[in-house]
Amino acid sequence: MEKIVEQVWDYTKHAKYYSYRPNYAPKSIDMLIALASDKGAKSIKVADIGAGTGNLSIMLLERGCEVVSVEPNDAMREIGLERTKGQKIEWVRATGVDSTLKSGSFDWVTFGSSFNVMDRVEALKEAHRLLKENCYFSCMWNHRDLKDKIQEAAENVIMEIVPNYTRGVRREDQRPIIEEHKELFDNILYLEEDFYFHQSLENYLNAWKSVKNPYWDLETKEGQEIFAKITAKMQEALPKEFDIKYTTRCWSARKV
């Protein structure tokens, strides 16, 4: 019988809300494609680790990549399978630190908003194992611009109700942990791109339902109550529709 060690973070209840989140800035993905493809000289085989419901995988498919999407959560993976039906993609039920994929068979390994939910050192080792020589891994996130008026208002609401709120590893500079493992990766590159995303208040609140953190667990009564307070306050503080600012941030490094 297949043995899969699931991630500690269970996104089953959050999966259906991922469609409300903005995808990565397109020009950033184009630049990363150029990096991974050696100026477009070859087709790219990508292992998209922690693929979730397929947001990044779909952007890679749109750019002609051959994609293997690794996702341990059944609910997330099932949505991804439906969204990418009929396309050149394989979905694998496995984790980012034990992907079950063949060593040395990928031109690029990506972590779209997933590098922070696993042991990053083990994830680096797994990415190194999967990559061909001199090829790159990338980890990326969309960060809310906290100086944006909408985001600032939302942040103020959260801090009012959850004073000890922090944004976790996903907000950290990933360079230090990559540099600590120079035996695995070097030639670190960093890029970031600002973009605006038009959203209704209803959809913005739905996007927050996709967030997994230790401050409000939507699977508990207490967590539901805290989140209800947050959404009620946001409904008072925010307009019905708005353009909201995000920044796609990505760290890439080349296999040694």
Side-chain angles (χ1 to χ4, degrees):
M1 180 178 289
E2 182 188 33
K3 184 179 179 181
I4 300 291
V5 179
E6 296 290 354
Q7 289 181 343
V8 175
W9 291 21
D10 183 358
Y11 280 88
T12 300
K13 300 293 185 182
H14 304 74
K16 64 183 178 181
Y17 297 109
Y18 262 70
S19 62
Y20 296 103
R21 298 171 71 155
N23 216 335
Y24 304 101
K27 289 182 181 178
S28 291
I29 301 301
D30 292 340
M31 286 186 279
L32 292 169
I33 290 281
L35 174 69
S37 65
D38 191 24
K39 299 180 181 179
K42 59 182 179 179
S43 61
I44 311 172
K45 186 174 182 181
V46 187
D48 187 20
I49 306 296
T53 61
N55 284 356
L56 177 57
S57 295
I58 288 170
M59 295 190 80
L60 300 177
L61 288 170
E62 290 171 346
R63 289 158 175 77
C65 297
E66 179 184 347
V67 182
V68 179
S69 296
V70 176
E71 174 53 50
N73 183 268
D74 293 339
M76 300 274 267
R77 197 176 60 258
E78 286 167 9
I79 294 172
L81 280 163
E82 182 63 29
R83 294 177 73 197
T84 58
K85 188 181 294 183
Q87 300 191 59
K88 192 174 183 180
I89 185 170
E90 176 186 357
W91 283 85
V92 176
R93 184 179 188 268
T95 69
V97 299
D98 184 16
S99 69
T100 74
L101 304 180
K102 185 179 178 182
S103 298
S105 57
F106 290 90
D107 304 301
W108 191 20
V109 173
T110 59
F111 296 82
S113 302
S114 60
F115 195 51
N116 59 299
V117 302
M118 59 190 78
D119 184 313
R120 288 180 294 166
V121 175
E122 293 303 314
L124 284 173
K125 292 177 181 177
E126 182 69 353
H128 185 273
R129 183 184 71 80
L130 294 176
L131 285 167
K132 298 175 184 176
E133 293 301 317
N134 297 315
C135 288
Y136 283 82
F137 105 95
S138 298
C139 58
M140 67 194 77
W141 292 266
N142 279 335
H143 289 160
R144 296 179 296 122
D145 185 333
L146 301 180
K147 294 180 181 179
D148 177 89
K149 289 183 179 179
I150 298 295
Q151 301 284 29
E152 184 178 24
E155 188 84 356
N156 288 341
V157 167
I158 292 171
M159 295 302 294
E160 179 184 343
I161 297 169
V162 188
N164 62 333
Y165 176 74
T166 60
R167 302 172 205 95
V169 172
R170 62 178 287 117
R171 277 275 176 174
E172 294 178 6
D173 182 359
Q174 304 301 313
R175 173 179 286 272
I177 195 164
I178 300 170
E179 288 183 333
E180 286 175 12
H181 298 280
K182 293 180 179 178
E183 75 282 6
L184 299 175
F185 291 98
D186 64 8
N187 198 38
I188 300 170
L189 294 98
Y190 172 74
L191 68 82
E192 65 176 52
E193 180 184 353
D194 298 338
F195 67 98
Y196 285 89
F197 185 66
H198 186 78
Q199 208 159 20
S200 68
L201 177 57
E202 180 182 1
N203 287 350
Y204 181 69
L205 296 178
N206 278 330
W208 273 103
K209 293 179 183 177
S210 72
V211 174
K212 183 77 171 178
N213 66 40
Y215 304 103
W216 58 83
D217 184 349
L218 297 182
E219 296 190 39
T220 68
K221 183 179 179 182
E222 181 185 13
Q224 291 169 6
E225 289 173 352
I226 292 171
F227 188 73
K229 290 178 182 177
I230 290 171
T231 54
K233 287 276 189 179
M234 285 187 180
Q235 285 171 333
E236 294 174 2
L238 304 180
K240 296 299 182 185
E241 286 198 20
F242 40 78
D243 289 317
I244 192 164
K245 189 178 180 183
Y246 290 86
T247 302
T248 293
R249 291 189 170 95
C250 179
W251 290 260
S252 300
R254 184 180 59 194
K255 176 178 177 175
V256 174

